[in-house]
């Protein structure tokens, strides 16, 4: 991701079996049924997938429509290597590169703010602001984002809502949401353009899982 959230897993290589069975015995998060969740996150085993799905259910969030579900979950898949990891693969070694600040908040002593959670939250300012919104001291306890399934999702939802991603997501404008997350790198033929194409392919697959067909708005920014 960009400097606002994080950089996602340092590698995007796959692995892991598809597993079997549903995520949570037929439960749903609005339009996201367990079978749809299984379809989208098809590279992790059933036990891990159930854990991730339960984290989503615990937040109480539901997407407004299937377009929003496809957009949000596609970005989650891309940033977490299909929910395989809740922290950057380069961590903790890459932690010091996230020690900078653009706000009045500084890093806590001996704490690292590399990407964690469903949107790979990074940087001290973001950990502080997300924590303030959620009522958790994430600046002092950044590992909560990685280790608590509900907080892993809630920090992604915090960024998603704080940066106005819901409106374009609900109208199926994936390109607009990519621009918010990582526009400087991935949009307009930037150095991460090929990375964007992988993100778009995941989005199209998520739409298939949700049975809403091809995007009506160009998903490439």
């Amino acid at each position: 991701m960009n400097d606002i959230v994080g950089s996602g897993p340092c590698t995007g290589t796959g692995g892991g079996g598809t597993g079997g069975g549903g995520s949570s015995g037929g439960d749903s998060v609005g339009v996201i049924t367990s079978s749809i969740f299984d379809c989208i996150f098809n590279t992790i085993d059933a036990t891990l997938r159930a854990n991730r799905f339960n984290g989503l259910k615990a937040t109480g969030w539901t997407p407004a429509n299937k377009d929003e579900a496809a957009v949000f979950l596609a970005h989650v898949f891309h940033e977490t290597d299909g929910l395989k990891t809740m922290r950057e693969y380069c961590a903790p070694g890459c932690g010091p590169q996230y020690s900078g600040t653009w706000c009045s908040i500084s890093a806590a002593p001996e704490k690292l703010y590399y990407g964690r959670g469903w949107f790979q939250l990074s940087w001290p300012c973001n950990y502080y602001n997300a924590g303030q919104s959620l009522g958790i001291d994430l600046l002092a306890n950044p590992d909560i984002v990685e280790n608590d399934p509900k907080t892993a999702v809630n920090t992604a939802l915090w960024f998603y809502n704080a940066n106005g991603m819901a409106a374009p997501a609900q109208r199926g404008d994936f390109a607009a949401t990519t621009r918010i997350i990582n526009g400087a790198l991935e949009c307009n033929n930037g150095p991460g353009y090929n990375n964007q194409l992988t993100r778009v392919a995941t989005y199209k697959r998520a739409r298939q899982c949700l049975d809403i067909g091809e995007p009506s708005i160009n998903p490439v920014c």
Side-chain angles (χ1 to χ4, degrees):
M1 292 185 140
N2 62 8
D3 286 351
I4 300 300
V5 186
S7 60
C10 288
T11 63
T13 54
T18 58
S23 290
S24 56
D27 290 342
S28 65
V29 177
V31 298
I32 306 170
T33 65
S34 60
S35 61
I36 288 171
F37 196 83
D38 294 349
C39 179
I40 294 173
F41 297 100
N42 61 352
T43 57
I44 54 178
D45 64 52
T47 300
L48 180 58
R49 194 161 53 230
N51 174 273
R52 306 299 198 214
F53 192 65
N54 287 335
L56 177 61
K57 288 195 298 179
T59 68
W61 176 81
T62 57
N65 54 33
K66 288 187 175 184
D67 284 301
E68 183 174 24
V71 170
F72 179 73
L73 294 179
H75 285 308
V76 169
F77 188 102
H78 186 83
E79 296 299 329
T80 61
D81 192 13
L83 287 178
K84 289 188 185 77
T85 183
M86 288 292 101
R87 72 172 185 173
E88 291 188 70
Y89 287 136
C90 60
C94 58
Q97 76 186 47
Y98 294 116
S99 61
T101 184
W102 60 84
C103 64
S104 61
I105 302 302
S106 298
E110 300 182 1
K111 300 297 181 180
L112 298 174
Y113 301 96
Y114 48 75
R116 296 177 177 89
W118 280 32
F119 263 23
Q120 296 291 280
L121 187 77
S122 304
W123 303 98
C125 292
N126 284 323
Y127 275 84
Y128 175 79
N129 289 325
Q132 287 290 295
S133 178
L134 299 174
I136 307 170
D137 188 355
L138 296 180
L139 190 70
N141 302 284
D143 287 337
I144 293 174
V145 180
E146 174 186 348
N147 296 325
D148 179 60
K150 180 180 176 180
T151 305
V153 185
N154 267 334
T155 51
L157 292 170
W158 167 79
F159 177 85
Y160 180 82
N161 290 313
N163 290 276
M165 292 179 67
Q170 288 166 17
R171 64 175 181 265
D173 191 346
F174 188 71
T177 61
T178 300
R179 194 175 297 279
I180 291 169
I181 289 178
N182 214 12
L185 288 175
E186 295 185 19
C187 295
N188 303 316
N189 292 303
Y193 182 75
N194 287 335
N195 197 40
Q196 183 201 170
L197 296 183
T198 301
R199 192 187 293 270
V200 168
T202 298
Y203 171 58
K204 290 182 175 180
R205 188 176 62 79
R207 291 183 65 90
Q208 291 174 355
C209 291
L210 284 150
D211 196 26
I212 51 176
E214 289 293 308
S216 59
I217 299 174
N218 183 4
V220 178
C221 58

